Each structure stands twice: as C-alpha cells, then as structure tokens.
Amino acid sequence: MRVTKKTKEATRKRILQEARKLFSKKGFDAATTRDLASAADIAAGTLFNYFPSKEAIVLALSRHALDQSQKNFQAMREECETLAETLFAHVSAGLRSLKPFRPYLYPALGWALSPALRGDAVPDAEAIRVDHLEVVEGVLQDYGILDVAGPVALHLYWTLFTGVVAFWAQDDSPHQEDSRALLDHSMAMFARELSTKGDL
Amino acid sequence: MTLSFSDTLADDPAFEAKVKEIFSTLESRPLPLGSFHRLMSLGGLNANLFVHYTSNWFRGFFQNREAREKSLADTHIHCALKVLERMGYLRGVVMKLGQTMAHCPEVVPQEWARVLSRLQWEAPPMHYSLVREQLVSELGDEPENIFADFDRKAFAAASLGQVHRARLKTGEEVAVKIQYPGIASTIQTDLRNIQTLSTPLRFTAGWRAVMGMYQDLREVMEQETDYVLEAARQTEAGELFKDHPHLRVAKVFPEFSTARILTSELLPGVHMDDFLAQGPPQEKRDHFGGLMFEAMLRLMYQKRWIYADANAGNYLLAEDGSLGLIDFGNVRPFSDDEWAYYRETDKAMVRGDFEGMVEAARKGLRPGMNSELNADQEDWFHRWTDWSTRPMCQEGVFDFGMAFWREGIELFAQSLRIRIVEAIPMVIHLTRAVMTGRALTARLESRFDAQACHRKILKDVGLAEA
C-alpha cells in the first residue's frame, strides 16, 4: 500500500503526541521505542522510518515548541530596550516553551545541539539552529549591527545559547533562577562583545 | 584622567556625570556569580584604592595645605566612585556593606558617605524582560494578567532586589519587590570569600570570635534572601503596630508573594534625604527621630527582635506624621539566653546602677575575654556602656545630634584600636542596630525623651520594675 504524504504527516504527528504523553508518564529512560510504537499504533520497525532514536523525537517536539514560542517573542520584542534584553527575551520565550520537556531534554542535547553539528545529520536539530539564528540575525539587523557581528559572532552566540540550554536542563535551583542569571549574563556579554567590535 | 570636583557635590556636573556613567555601565553588566570572579573583583578594588591614596600621600609633600586638602577630598571622591562602581557591580553582601557605610557619618570620609548613599536607590536595575521572567516563574503568569497595572521601571533598588509600583485588580496600590535571580548564590560566594580573606586571622586570639560572627552573618544573610520569612515578619510587625497612631508597616499580600517576590501595600512618604532637603522644622525632626527609636524598642521588647539594619532606605516619612517601616529582611531574633543577658543590663539601667550595667554588659564579650581586659579596655568599656545607655538613663529631652553621634563614633573607632571587638554575635547585631539607628537620629538632629519612651514600653509589656 502506498503511504501518502498526508498519512505520513498524520503518523508523525501521532508519534509525537504519544511520545510526549509517554515520556511524561514513564520518563524518558523507561519509555522504550517499542512502547512508543505501540502507543502510536504502528509496528516497531515503522517508528524508525520516522525517527532514528528517542532523542530525535525529543528534538522534533522541541522544534515544534520553539516554533510556537516565536509568537510570544514577537509580542515581547516590542518592549525590549537593548540588544541584550531582546536576545534575553528571545531565549526566554524558547525556554518557556521547552519547559514541559525539561525533564527529558538533557539526553537529547549532548549531540543534537552541539556547535559542531552541521548539515542534515539530524534534520530537526539543524532546523532549530537555522531558525534560531535567523531570528538572532533579524534582531542584529534591527540594531544595525548585523555586518559587525559576522559568522564568528553568531558561532559564539550559538555556543552561549547551547550552554545556557544545557545548564537550564539540569538546573536544580528554585524555578531555574540560576539559569536566568546565566542567560542574562551571557546575553549581556555577547552584546558587549559586539559593542566593542562595532564601537556602538 | 584625574577628575576634580567642587566642594558641594550635589551641584557638581562632573560628579553627576561620573555617577551617571557608572550606573549606565552597570546596567549592561549582570551580576557576577563566580566565586573567583567576585574575590578578584574585591581584591582588585583594594589594590586600586591603595594606589590612589599612596599617590595622594606622595603628592602632599609638594603641595601647600589648601592644595593638600583639596587633593585629599578629590582622592576620597575618586576612591568612593570606584567603590560605588564595584559595590553596584557585586551587589549582595558587598552592597549591603556600602549602604551601611553611607549611613554612618564620620565612620567614612564625608565624600565617601555622599557617593555611597547613591547605592540606596540608584542600584543597577534588572531589565524588564528579566523582571517578567522572574514574575512568571514565581507567580505563574504574566504581570499584565496578575496586576491591573505594573510599572515597568523600578522605583527603588536595594542590594537583594528591586521594587516596582503596581496596582492589584482589587484596586490596592502595591510595591512589588523582586529578587535578583541567583543573588542567594552570590551571598554564599561572598561569605566564602570573606572566610577566605579572614584566613590569616586563624592564628590570632580572635579567630573563634571571627568565626562566630561569620556563622551568624551567614544565617542572617540567608534569612534575608527568603522573602517568605520576611513577609511573615512584616505581617507580625504590622500586627504589633496596627493600633499605633503613627507607626505603619506595609500590609503583605501573600497571594502575590513567594520566596523571591514580596508584594506589599504602597505606603505614603519620602525617604530621609528628601525629607531633610525640605528643611523640616525641629518639631518634625524630633517627631520622626522619636518614632524610629520607639519602633526599634517596641520590636525589641514586644517581639524580641533586633531591627539590625536601620538604614534610611527602610523608613518612609509621611506628611501626616506617620513613619512607614518597609523592610524586615534583616531582623535578628534573640535566643532565650541572649534575652536574659540583655534584660540584665536593662534592669540595671532602670535601677540607675551603672556598675551593674557594666558588669552585665561584660557578659556580651567573647567568653574568657572578661578577665583579660587591660586598663585601656576597662576604661573604654565603661565609657561605651555610658554612651550606649545614656539616652535611656537621662531624664527629660535628650539631644541625639551630631555631638552625641561623634562621641559614639570615636568610641567605636577606639574599640578597633584597642582590640575590644570580640563580642558574642548578638552584641554585634545590637551594636549595629544602635549605631545605624543613632546615625539616623543624628542626621535628623532629633531631640526627644528617650527615657520616657523606654519606660513606657517596659510598662506596656509588663517589664517595668516596681
């Protein structure tokens, strides 16, 4: 039987929905790919046609959540007064949307959000990176410093961002307040780096 | 570049520009959290100040008296600005120290006091996005959903938090105090740094006393980061003063408060600097000085609390004569033993038994130190007991003005010279409360009947002796 694009999309969506429920219920480690396939009503082998691993499922969930967070960020963006604050608001909006996945985000981060990751090895991870940096470029453009920033600065930014996300995923301070301090620190440091380069 | 400042800093554009520049730079510098970073920052400051004062000392050899004085004043301001910048940057315990110094005239040079007083209400603010995240994570919703109005700009900042005006959906005007994220960790770091910097004292006789103070400071500072505890104390104090004609404590709104957010009623009034700038008549100065004194004593006798941080930023002086108390973060309760010790001195004071007071007060020294006092220390101890209890021992109106304050400062400075600083921790807090409280009454140049106030409170709580 030929699987249509529409059916494929529906199956993928169902897997993500069931995975989210199962991870919350059983925990990331305890939920097996067999459990996931069964919950999504597909054969165990079929699951791998969609996602190569459980980590890839987490990344797909994260990507979807981060896409949703853009609306919140755009609403908050208006009220930001500095570059550092705007970047802070952007990442904060993302972290808020990722919060439901925080308990099982860390295992997926190690390899998927690596600054060394390139190409389509993990499509969702690459998409997260590209989409996120596209917004950052837009912010820098708004502040008229995109030319000053350049690829090295964006790489530096991505390193800071992934560091903050990794810290946040394991942050046991009350309401992850230490992560907010780290994020604030990181974004201010990045903005300062650009201001010294561009003499802003 | 060496800056030169005029004698009256208030109108000096160079000074104002420099303060503005410092705060503008600080706004883009988040709180440093690393232990090493903070330790180095403090160490670097010491070196910087040393270089400035040493250069000034050398310059003095080639200057006449007038030029020397001007140069010293400029060096004081220059160094104070450095301290302002560093304390504003490090916040936490370090900024607390700066605020205390600023409100002790004559402990630090006048220029320092004026510059450091800027720490009170001009600390670097958190940007609104960070404030929003703090509110969302603590109260569970966006500020615009929680409050009818929320002012994006802080109207006050202190060492641990900043305060925003807001209006509840039920109409009450409130002050929302929001703690800097991670400040609790920086306090731990500062205290570790203080312990590290104190290590050379390990082999001195005072080491145990230093460690005692360190442990106590740690407990007090940890409590200060806990707004749930502060809210509980504020509510208790509010209950205590609810029928008082002039003392006000802001009502806490617990449903909008957490360990990191404290929402209280917005009390009317101005801070002491603004009050003094209006050139108030003596009657008003006496009135507010008397209220500050009464509030501290009532908290002590009725709650058994030492209101240890009586800095000017914690009081609001209102047009209708009421005094608002707005910060209960630094309250040190007496233990039963400490209270018994305090009451022994107190009873001797009421009896007018000076030697009894001295004997009782000696118990506040580090155990073992009692029998070791040399002649200078004995003499100092008598004079200190006299100074600290005089307002309550003297009948009628007592003048808390600068002459009385200077006497206390000289004694305090002398205590450091003759090394009589080894007291039990409670005495350190009590001394701090007395010194900071009297710094305020000195600035107000207040005169009031302290003895009558003291005796009335004793009577109210059933502690008056026949």
Side-chain angles (χ1 to χ4, degrees):
Chain A
M1 187 182 75
R2 190 163 169 268
V3 181
T4 64
K5 195 179 169 189
K6 203 173 161 188
T7 315
K8 230 178 159 178
E9 200 48 51
T11 307
R12 182 184 151 90
K13 203 173 163 187
R14 199 168 63 249
I15 294 170
L16 291 177
Q17 276 170 350
E18 295 303 325
R20 191 176 168 167
K21 282 187 221 162
L22 211 59
F23 288 154
S24 300
K25 195 174 155 192
K26 292 183 81 170
F28 180 80
D29 289 334
T32 63
T33 48
R34 191 175 295 276
D35 295 334
L36 289 168
S38 162
D41 203 19
I42 54 174
T46 310
L47 182 77
F48 295 106
N49 292 338
Y50 291 85
F51 298 100
S53 63
K54 286 195 292 182
E55 286 81 0
I57 296 176
V58 174
L59 281 177
L61 287 168
S62 303
R63 182 185 170 190
H64 179 70
L66 288 169
D67 283 347
Q68 300 297 309
S69 76
Q70 281 311 303
K71 205 173 137 193
N72 289 338
F73 167 60
Q74 294 308 333
M76 289 193 265
R77 190 172 176 171
E78 296 296 311
E79 58 195 26
C80 295
E81 293 179 347
T82 62
L83 172 62
E85 184 182 355
T86 313
L87 294 173
F88 176 93
H90 179 218
V91 179
S92 291
L95 292 183
R96 272 205 223 178
S97 69
L98 289 178
K99 202 166 180 191
F101 315 118
R102 203 177 82 88
Y104 46 88
L105 194 61
Y106 195 76
L109 288 174
W111 52 283
L113 291 181
S114 162
L117 187 75
R118 281 290 179 272
D120 56 1
V122 186
D124 282 314
E126 178 62 3
I128 288 172
R129 193 179 74 86
V130 169
D131 292 348
H132 187 93
L133 289 181
E134 203 174 282
V135 177
V136 173
E137 282 179 338
V139 171
L140 298 181
Q141 179 89 54
D142 285 354
Y143 281 88
I145 52 171
L146 184 57
D147 294 341
V148 179
V152 175
L154 285 176
H155 195 76
L156 170 68
Y157 171 86
W158 185 249
T159 308
L160 288 170
F161 169 72
T162 52
V164 168
V165 176
F167 183 87
W168 171 80
Q170 290 204 307
D171 184 0
D172 56 7
S173 65
H175 299 290
Q176 293 80 53
E177 62 173 356
D178 285 350
S179 295
R180 275 191 296 288
L182 177 67
L183 173 60
D184 192 35
H185 206 111
S186 303
M187 295 303 113
M189 190 168 84
F190 179 68
R192 254 200 324 277
E193 161 71 13
L194 292 187
S195 72
T196 50
K197 276 174 79 177
D199 196 28
L200 294 166
Chain B
M1 185 183 74
T2 307
L3 287 168
S4 184
F5 301 96
S6 67
D7 296 337
T8 51
L9 287 179
D11 304 321
D12 188 333
F15 170 73
E16 286 302 328
K18 187 67 193 166
V19 170
K20 210 171 248 182
E21 183 194 319
I22 288 172
F23 282 112
S24 147
T25 311
L26 288 175
E27 277 183 34
S28 61
R29 298 180 76 188
L31 188 65
L33 299 170
S35 171
F36 182 70
H37 193 158
R38 292 179 71 80
L39 183 62
M40 289 308 287
S41 197
L42 278 174
L45 176 66
N46 277 341
N48 205 312
L49 299 186
F50 176 76
V51 168
H52 271 88
Y53 278 108
T54 310
S55 326
N56 180 67
W57 183 65
F58 275 117
R59 271 202 308 275
F61 287 114
F62 310 101
Q63 292 171 318
N64 61 29
R65 191 179 160 190
E66 196 181 327
R68 258 203 317 271
E69 281 175 6
K70 170 79 178 130
S71 173
L72 180 62
D74 278 351
T75 305
H76 279 331
I77 297 169
H78 200 91
C79 290
L81 286 167
K82 288 265 170 222
V83 173
L84 176 76
E85 183 182 11
R86 201 57 56 91
M87 285 180 167
Y89 175 50
L90 293 171
R91 298 176 215 159
V93 175
V94 181
M95 191 155 137
K96 197 100 212 145
L97 185 68
Q99 288 173 347
T100 306
M101 283 161 74
H103 290 91
C104 288
E106 303 195 13
V107 170
V108 293
Q110 190 188 11
E111 294 83 357
W112 277 58
R114 286 181 138 178
V115 173
L116 294 183
S117 70
R118 297 305 186 94
L119 279 173
Q120 203 58 49
W121 300 107
E122 293 184 60
M126 290 186 266
H127 54 69
Y128 183 62
S129 296
L130 182 50
V131 166
R132 176 190 282 281
E133 291 305 314
Q134 283 292 80
L135 286 168
V136 169
S137 64
E138 291 291 324
L139 299 178
D141 206 346
E142 303 286 346
E144 50 267 35
N145 295 335
I146 300 168
F147 302 101
D149 265 326
F150 185 87
D151 195 344
R152 292 161 47 98
K153 291 276 174 208
F155 77 96
S159 55
L160 305 185
Q162 67 185 41
V163 194
H164 290 251
R165 276 198 181 87
R167 190 159 50 82
L168 297 181
K169 288 183 172 169
T170 41
E172 295 94 334
E173 300 287 335
V174 292
V176 185
K177 182 156 83 167
I178 302 162
Q179 199 172 106
Y180 290 103
I183 196 86
S185 320
T186 69
I187 284 175
Q188 293 291 345
T189 303
D190 282 343
L191 290 168
R192 270 201 306 275
N193 286 343
I194 289 169
Q195 194 174 21
T196 306
L197 292 168
S198 314
T199 306
L201 296 173
R202 180 178 290 275
F203 302 107
T204 65
W207 174 251
R208 271 183 58 192
V210 170
M211 281 301 96
M213 283 187 256
Y214 167 81
Q215 288 300 342
D216 196 67
L217 177 67
R218 192 168 76 173
E219 280 169 31
V220 169
M221 292 306 296
E222 278 172 1
Q223 287 180 12
E224 204 168 344
T225 60
D226 183 356
Y227 285 176
V228 171
L229 183 65
E230 184 175 347
R233 285 180 174 158
Q234 193 168 318
T235 304
E236 274 191 63
E239 192 59 31
L240 176 68
F241 294 135
K242 70 177 180 192
D243 296 322
H244 195 284
H246 297 298
L247 290 172
R248 304 270 176 273
V249 177
K251 178 187 164 194
V252 174
F253 292 88
E255 61 276 42
F256 302 101
S257 303
T258 68
R260 301 286 187 255
I261 309 274
L262 179 55
T263 301
S264 315
E265 168 193 11
L266 195 64
L267 290 179
V270 295
H271 290 290
M272 189 182 281
D273 282 346
D274 294 330
F275 173 75
L276 291 174
Q278 297 162 6
Q282 187 63 44
E283 192 190 339
K284 276 196 171 179
R285 293 167 176 268
D286 298 344
H287 171 77
F288 283 116
L291 283 176
M292 285 174 189
F293 183 80
E294 184 185 346
M296 194 178 276
L297 285 197
R298 285 203 180 274
L299 289 170
M300 193 178 296
Y301 287 99
Q302 293 181 264
K303 302 303 301 179
R304 295 197 186 175
W305 290 350
I306 301 173
Y307 192 61
D309 186 18
N311 80 66
N314 293 348
Y315 296 99
L316 284 169
L317 293 68
E319 194 63 38
D320 66 357
S322 64
L323 178 76
L325 279 73
I326 56 173
D327 193 321
F328 287 84
N330 199 338
V331 166
R332 166 64 156 77
F334 282 91
S335 68
D336 288 344
D337 286 349
E338 289 167 346
W339 182 247
Y341 151 74
Y342 174 76
R343 282 289 296 143
E344 215 177 307
T345 321
D346 210 30
K347 284 176 188 166
M349 185 162 39
V350 175
R351 288 197 307 270
D353 172 8
F354 184 72
E355 284 308 317
M357 274 193 278
V358 173
E359 274 317 299
R362 288 172 75 109
K363 293 179 185 164
L365 291 173
R366 171 178 63 83
M369 197 180 180
N370 265 325
S371 52
E372 299 164 11
L373 295 185
N374 60 33
D376 281 347
Q377 289 172 328
E378 279 290 354
D379 176 58
W380 178 91
F381 206 75
H382 277 73
R383 287 192 295 129
W384 174 259
T385 306
D386 167 48
W387 183 82
S388 55
T389 58
R390 201 183 305 154
M392 279 85 75
C393 292
Q394 185 179 302
E395 270 182 42
V397 171
F398 187 85
D399 187 348
F400 280 84
M402 290 309 283
F404 177 62
W405 169 245
R406 268 191 212 108
E407 196 185 328
I409 284 303
E410 276 163 26
L411 280 168
F412 189 73
Q414 199 187 1
S415 75
L416 303 176
R417 282 200 300 276
I418 65 171
R419 302 182 57 78
I420 190 162
V421 290
E422 296 169 22
I424 60 174
M426 185 278 282
V427 171
I428 308 283
H429 291 288
L430 198 56
T431 305
R432 187 177 173 206
V434 168
M435 295 302 283
T436 52
R438 288 188 185 175
L440 298 181
T441 44
R443 286 182 69 199
L444 285 168
E445 296 180 58
S446 271
R447 298 173 211 151
F448 53 87
D449 191 338
Q451 188 188 67
C453 177
H454 179 225
R455 297 203 174 184
K456 176 162 189 336
I457 293 169
L458 286 179
K459 200 174 162 197
D460 289 350
V461 293
L463 291 174
E465 304 214 329

